[in-house]
Amino acid sequence: MGRVLEVEDLSVRFETRGGTVRAVDGVSFHVEEGETLSIVGESGSGKTVASLAVLGLVPCPPGVVEARRVALEGRDLLTLSPAELRAVRGNEVSMIFQDPMTSLNPLLTVGRQLSEVLEVHRGTSPREARVLCAKGLSEVGIPAPEERLDAYPHELSGGMRQRVMIAMALLLEPRVLIADEPTTALDVTIQAQILELLRKLQQDHGTAIVLVTHDMGVVAGQADRVHVMYAGRIVEDSATRPLFSNPLHPYSRGLLESVPTLDGDATAKLHSIPGQPPDLADLPPGCAFAPRCPLVREHCEREVPPLAAVALSQDGGERRSACFEVDRLRDTVGGEA
């Protein structure tokens, strides 16, 4: 397998009246053909902004996007003209947006919005495009797809609108699919169908998927590798199974402990990470997680820990953590890295 998408040293800041907000700070990641990379973290951690920046969808101004390289199969997207980038979006790289109500045009029917993708990128005739769009809606679990093509977004439920967005993203069988909370507003049955559809897409076409989510259950069942983000930075990078069995960053551990388990004590209170995520316009010196961290030491409040290799995962892959106290955490959690 080869790397399909490579992002090196991506930073995004917003110049506002209240100061500079560093939403993404020096993030690097890659995803290979047929692989699912999950980016997880609380709201405001920078997951979505990083994804939008890859496709050139961050409004500038007030946003300022900087990166050493954003390459799709070796081609640097940062060097493309606006017209060339539009040809890439939707065709080679598609994105499932988090909020379908604001992503769909309320003045156009579902069928018109879907068929436009095929007509613009593939030159498909309107009649053939309608047939393919109906098939796409059927594949994501929408009943009576022919009728839904003539509906407007406001006539559909939130879950149905989300499925329309997913169908739109999959129409052209892209090389890379960026899925930003793709199962939001869906019940568990439809959620399972959508995740199975994504898996089938990978098997049939080798699609690389970047899955942006806060749902650790989805991550456990879907992702090959995980990047944990906090305050705009990646704080842990690991294969999925080692991360769940032995997290090597206090924030990762806090996220996992916050998830209820079937074999847990039903009477016990659910664990929560103390405090609130930091203000990105006024980050504290040192480690951004220090004010909420149970392992904090004095030097954590002065210095920013680098994302560095700390162990090998069970499959021989490298694990990285941005924590000065990673050895204490490993001893506390126990188990093999």
Side-chain angles (χ1 to χ4, degrees):
M1 294 191 299
R3 293 186 178 183
V4 182
L5 179 67
E6 292 183 85
V7 177
E8 297 179 12
D9 201 18
L10 174 67
S11 295
V12 183
R13 68 179 188 273
F14 295 94
E15 302 295 344
T16 70
R17 293 179 180 177
T20 299
V21 177
R22 298 190 178 279
V24 179
D25 186 8
V27 165
S28 298
F29 62 86
H30 69 271
V31 59
E32 299 185 356
E33 181 180 356
E35 180 185 45
T36 297
L37 169 69
S38 185
I39 302 178
V40 302
E42 294 170 291
S43 296
S45 61
K47 311 183 303 295
T48 296
V49 174
S51 303
L52 293 173
V54 167
L55 289 177
L57 294 176
V58 172
C60 303
V64 178
V65 179
E66 298 174 332
R68 185 180 306 134
R69 188 166 178 258
V70 178
L72 175 66
E73 296 186 314
R75 180 173 41 158
D76 194 344
L77 301 184
L78 298 177
T79 64
L80 301 184
S81 67
E84 290 173 327
L85 192 55
R86 282 195 297 272
V88 169
R89 286 196 295 254
N91 188 22
E92 298 177 62
V93 184
S94 286
M95 185 166 185
I96 302 171
F97 294 95
Q98 184 173 357
D99 187 355
M101 192 59 197
T102 57
S103 301
L104 292 169
N105 190 328
L107 302 180
L108 299 178
T109 64
V110 166
R112 183 71 197 98
Q113 296 182 65
L114 287 170
S115 63
E116 184 179 28
V117 175
L118 292 166
E119 293 170 22
V120 169
H121 288 287
R122 298 288 169 84
T124 308
S125 68
R127 178 175 295 181
E128 184 183 358
R130 185 176 177 87
V131 173
L132 293 174
C133 292
K135 180 183 177 183
L137 292 183
S138 177
E139 287 179 343
V140 296
I142 293 183
E146 282 282 352
E147 297 177 18
R148 301 300 181 189
L149 290 176
D150 297 319
Y152 288 87
H154 72 271
E155 296 177 304
L156 304 179
S157 66
M160 295 270 273
R161 289 193 293 266
Q162 186 74 308
R163 279 178 271 175
V164 168
M165 289 299 304
I166 294 171
M168 185 182 296
L170 300 181
L171 273 178
L172 298 178
E173 299 175 353
R175 297 287 292 131
V176 179
L177 176 65
I178 300 175
D180 186 5
E181 304 284 3
T183 55
T184 296
L186 302 181
D187 61 58
V188 291
T189 302
I190 299 300
Q191 181 183 91
Q193 291 176 2
I194 295 302
L195 295 177
E196 180 58 33
L197 179 64
L198 295 181
R199 278 191 288 267
K200 186 176 186 301
L201 182 72
Q202 281 187 312
Q203 293 170 359
D204 294 346
H205 305 286
T207 306
I209 297 177
V210 179
L211 178 63
V212 179
T213 184
H214 63 269
D215 189 332
M216 299 303 287
V218 171
V219 172
Q222 199 78 5
D224 299 298
R225 291 186 297 114
V226 184
H227 284 348
V228 181
M229 282 192 72
Y230 186 79
R233 300 180 66 224
I234 294 174
V235 296
E236 183 167 0
D237 167 13
S238 173
T240 302
R241 290 186 64 182
L243 176 77
F244 275 74
S245 63
N246 184 19
L248 295 179
H249 193 281
Y251 180 59
S252 305
R253 182 173 68 171
L255 290 177
L256 292 171
E257 289 179 346
S258 300
V259 179
T261 59
L262 292 176
D263 56 354
D265 184 355
T267 63
K269 289 185 177 181
L270 193 62
H271 173 80
S272 63
I273 301 174
Q276 297 293 328
D279 180 358
L280 295 180
D282 186 26
L283 286 174
C287 177
F289 189 62
R292 309 173 69 187
C293 181
L295 302 180
V296 64
R297 294 286 181 90
E298 186 178 346
H299 65 130
C300 301
E301 299 174 341
R302 296 193 311 265
E303 305 171 40
V304 178
L307 182 63
V310 293
L312 292 179
S313 64
Q314 294 161 354
D315 62 0
E318 185 178 79
R319 298 188 65 182
R320 298 185 298 164
S321 175
C323 180
F324 291 127
E325 302 300 316
V326 66
D327 290 333
R328 288 177 60 204
L329 179 64
R330 186 188 292 124
D331 293 339
T332 302
V333 175
E336 190 176 321

